[in-house]
Amino acid sequence: MKLAHISDTHLGYRAYNRFTPQGFNQRELDVMQTFKTCLDAIVQRDPDVIIHSGDLFHVVRPSNATIIETFKTLSRIQIQRQGRPFIIVGGNHDTPRTSDSGNILKLFDGIPGMHIHPADAAAFAIDDLDLEVLCVPNQSLAQRESIDWVPQLGKKHSLLSVHGIATQAMLPTQSDFDVDDTKHNLWTYVALGDFHKFQQYGKNVCYAGSTDFTSSNIWEETGTPKGWVYFDSQVGAIEFQEVHTRTVIDLPTLDGDGLTSEGLSEKLVVGAKWNDELPIVRQLVRNVRPEVRAKISLDAVRSIQARALDYRLQTFAPHSYSVGMTEDGRARTLEMSWTEHVDSVTLGAGIGRDELKALGLNLLQEVKELETAPVEA
């Protein structure tokens, strides 16, 4: 049996303030195009079955344009495949919180060969392939549905798909299940979804990863290829198939210590080097004092932004601002000055000294965090 494993396509994902002349969000179109590219590549490999292990869509209610394009794409692919099985498992992003909302994934039930399992764990057979399939959507895990993780229908081949975070992928406190729970040694293949990086845990079990950069923190994934997985049971080896996406660049962090606003602006321009067309870019700068940050050249920033789909400049203030020296030669910080001031003044009735100290320190921390916001041109 030959299968293709694709996951976390997040169709309908939108980001950044770039739109096409027709008014479409550019990233929404990027993500759709990556999806089509993956499916076209899958058709070329001609698998017996395609398994999508969750988060087909980024939101429960994607735009009409995304819904229509998804339907057209899946219909075209299934015509090319002559209706051979294409299985979709519900993920956390495309599952409504209430059951009475319905699930948009059911829209694709009418396409020949589609098997849609959005909410409850379900086992079924595909007799033509002598195949047993167990789908465990994210909602099934969230509701702690009782699941028998072993094949039970006596077929030659068996496929398990789970959408959730395994203990091996994240901290145990953030996980939904353990890879060992899946009894993967009893299955022909185990298709995992929800984790956005390709990650293999055995010869027949893996996260395919997402097909594009759609997570809440894409910078954790820079340098990580996107794509899908091909598996041939006779070969018994996972093949990761990389797909081209819009380039994401996390530039080397700069140090702004001692720089003027003019010097830092020049350093930003010098550091903004890439050959890719309109990439998504982040530039971090440490040790930037507030007065320097306020006077960064907007012309310099705009010139960089013009060469990127999105250029995210984030500056971080020095850990503590120096406001003089202590008697023992250490730099005096605003936090130290505030604490000493509260200790030295007479407070009114009902005002707690420790509470007042904490309030001021918290406000200072909030100011520092605000300074890390992207510079807007």
Side-chain angles (χ1 to χ4, degrees):
M1 182 189 70
K2 301 173 183 178
L3 67 83
H5 173 199
I6 186 172
S7 189
D8 293 272
T9 46
H10 287 264
L11 304 177
Y13 172 85
R14 294 178 176 180
Y16 319 127
N17 234 1
R18 289 294 187 100
F19 296 86
T20 68
Q22 295 76 27
F24 295 108
N25 181 272
Q26 183 61 59
R27 278 304 282 156
E28 187 173 9
L29 295 185
D30 286 349
V31 170
M32 178 60 73
Q33 183 55 53
T34 305
F35 175 62
K36 293 178 180 179
T37 301
C38 286
L39 289 183
D40 287 339
I42 287 171
V43 168
Q44 290 298 313
R45 294 298 297 268
D46 197 28
D48 299 304
V49 60
I50 299 175
I51 176 71
H52 189 302
S53 53
D55 283 348
L56 176 70
F57 292 113
H58 187 65
V59 290
V60 172
R61 292 289 179 265
S63 68
N64 287 344
T66 287
I67 295 171
I68 292 169
E69 198 61 30
T70 303
F71 190 92
K72 288 166 61 177
T73 299
L74 291 176
S75 297
R76 173 178 63 82
I77 291 298
Q78 286 302 90
I79 289 172
Q80 290 177 292
R81 300 183 63 242
Q82 298 181 331
R84 282 180 292 174
F86 191 135
I87 305 162
I88 299 179
V89 177
N92 52 304
H93 276 261
D94 45 31
T95 301
R97 293 185 179 181
T98 57
S99 59
D100 60 352
S101 301
N103 192 304
I104 196 169
L105 296 179
K106 299 300 288 183
L107 172 67
F108 309 109
D109 247 343
I111 299 175
M114 299 298 294
H115 299 261
I116 310 297
H117 295 275
D120 301 323
F124 61 97
I126 300 176
D127 293 329
D128 291 348
L129 296 177
D130 201 8
L131 171 66
E132 171 182 353
V133 182
L134 173 59
C135 295
V136 183
N138 184 262
Q139 184 171 301
S140 175
L141 291 176
Q143 295 180 349
R144 301 187 181 279
E145 186 178 0
S146 179
I147 301 167
D148 194 341
W149 296 93
V150 299
Q152 297 183 23
L153 302 182
K155 298 296 183 180
K156 178 181 179 181
H157 305 293
S158 53
L159 169 61
L160 168 64
S161 183
V162 186
H163 188 91
I165 295 296
T167 303
Q168 289 81 354
M170 297 283 282
L171 296 173
T173 54
Q174 298 174 306
S175 64
D176 301 308
F177 68 100
D178 192 282
V179 169
D180 289 339
D181 292 339
T182 66
K183 307 291 193 300
H184 52 88
N185 59 309
L186 301 178
W187 298 88
T188 303
Y189 185 81
V190 178
L192 305 179
D194 201 10
F195 191 58
H196 281 210
K197 296 180 182 180
F198 168 70
Q199 188 65 58
Q200 185 173 348
Y201 299 106
K203 65 179 182 179
N204 68 333
V205 52
C206 74
Y207 283 101
S210 59
T211 54
D212 211 319
F213 293 89
T214 54
S215 64
S216 57
N217 185 4
I218 63 173
W219 313 110
E220 293 180 342
E221 301 170 24
T222 54
T224 301
K226 300 298 179 183
W228 55 280
V229 166
Y230 181 80
F231 182 83
D232 184 336
S233 62
Q234 286 189 325
V235 177
I238 287 171
E239 296 180 38
F240 180 75
Q241 308 294 309
E242 186 173 350
V243 65
H244 174 73
T245 68
R246 185 178 296 276
T247 304
V248 176
I249 303 172
D250 200 7
L251 293 170
T253 301
L254 299 177
D255 189 350
D257 187 32
L259 292 178
T260 63
S261 55
E262 292 81 4
L264 178 54
S265 299
E266 182 179 349
K267 203 167 186 178
L268 292 175
V269 173
V270 171
K273 295 188 181 301
W274 53 79
N275 297 320
D276 304 274
E277 183 179 359
L278 295 179
I280 300 164
V281 183
R282 180 176 74 163
Q283 176 68 77
L284 301 181
V285 190
R286 306 287 181 186
N287 297 314
V288 181
R289 296 183 67 87
E291 62 272 20
V292 172
R293 179 184 188 275
K295 294 183 179 180
I296 291 174
S297 169
L298 291 183
D299 286 340
V301 173
R302 289 191 186 103
S303 71
I304 300 171
Q305 288 176 332
R307 297 188 291 110
L309 183 77
D310 185 73
Y311 176 73
R312 190 62 48 97
L313 173 61
Q314 290 181 276
T315 63
F316 295 82
H319 181 65
S320 294
Y321 305 140
S322 174
V323 288
M325 303 294 288
T326 63
E327 292 181 359
D328 59 1
R330 292 181 296 131
R332 182 182 299 279
T333 66
L334 286 174
E335 290 86 351
M336 293 168 61
S337 296
W338 170 252
T339 300
E340 292 171 3
H341 172 71
V342 174
D343 283 336
S344 66
V345 298
T346 301
L347 301 178
I351 300 178
R353 201 173 297 274
D354 289 340
E355 289 80 3
L356 184 58
K357 284 182 187 178
L359 175 62
L361 294 174
N362 287 337
L363 289 173
L364 285 172
Q365 182 61 35
E366 287 182 14
V367 170
K368 290 181 179 180
E369 291 175 356
L370 285 173
E371 289 169 355
T372 69
V375 173
E376 301 292 343

